[in-house]
Amino acid sequence: MTELTSLTSAENFIKDHQFSFIYVSRTNCGVCHALLPQLKRLLEEFPSIQLGYINADNVEEIAGYLSIFTVPALLLFVDGKEMIREARFVHMQALQEKISKIYTMVNGDSD
């Protein structure tokens, strides 16, 4: 997991990776802190996906840049294009299925 500490680092992270997953949270968000370990475990199934973490308390402009209205916000970008957006209460099984479809379509069956 890469901590993104500025808007520029977030932009570069999305641009530099074919699969970039952005996780936006806030310091005092209990749901955010509970969901992150689950997301990390889920993404172990998809080794090409790079995870970037942004604390919106420290990078306030990220909310406007990514049109985020609540946290946690989970966004998957493929080749710089947003493919999945989930927020607040995330059903991990449904998220896994969405990621799997996109990952297989773009990456093929093997990594």
Side-chain angles (χ1 to χ4, degrees), residues 74-94:
L74 295 76
L75 298 94
L76 175 66
F77 293 86
V78 178
D79 294 324
K81 181 179 180 195
E82 183 181 318
M83 301 296 283
I84 295 175
R85 174 181 290 252
E86 297 285 334
R88 196 64 183 149
F89 298 107
V90 178
H91 299 283
M92 295 306 287
Q93 181 63 35

Side-chain angles (χ1 to χ4, degrees), residues 47-71:
S48 295
I49 298 178
Q50 301 299 310
L51 176 60
Y53 170 84
I54 302 172
N55 184 330
D57 289 333
N58 300 333
V59 187
E60 293 179 1
E61 61 271 24
I62 199 68
Y65 176 70
L66 295 175
S67 300
I68 293 171
F69 301 104
T70 187
V71 291

Side-chain angles (χ1 to χ4, degrees), residues 16-106:
D16 292 345
H17 299 96
Q18 180 183 21
F19 291 95
S20 52
F21 200 106
I22 303 294
Y23 186 83
V24 182
S25 75
R26 290 193 176 273
T27 304
N28 295 320
C29 171
V31 174
C32 300
H33 298 295
L35 191 60
L36 185 56
Q38 296 176 49
L39 178 64
K40 287 180 182 179
R41 280 192 302 276
L42 171 67
L43 291 180
E44 289 174 1
E45 297 177 37
F46 308 100
S48 295
I49 298 178
Q50 301 299 310
L51 176 60
Y53 170 84
I54 302 172
N55 184 330
D57 289 333
N58 300 333
V59 187
E60 293 179 1
E61 61 271 24
I62 199 68
Y65 176 70
L66 295 175
S67 300
I68 293 171
F69 301 104
T70 187
V71 291
L74 295 76
L75 298 94
L76 175 66
F77 293 86
V78 178
D79 294 324
K81 181 179 180 195
E82 183 181 318
M83 301 296 283
I84 295 175
R85 174 181 290 252
E86 297 285 334
R88 196 64 183 149
F89 298 107
V90 178
H91 299 283
M92 295 306 287
Q93 181 63 35
L95 178 61
Q96 188 273 343
E97 291 169 7
K98 289 178 189 178
I99 293 171
S100 183
K101 285 179 186 176
I102 292 169
Y103 192 83
T104 301
M105 182 175 57
V106 174

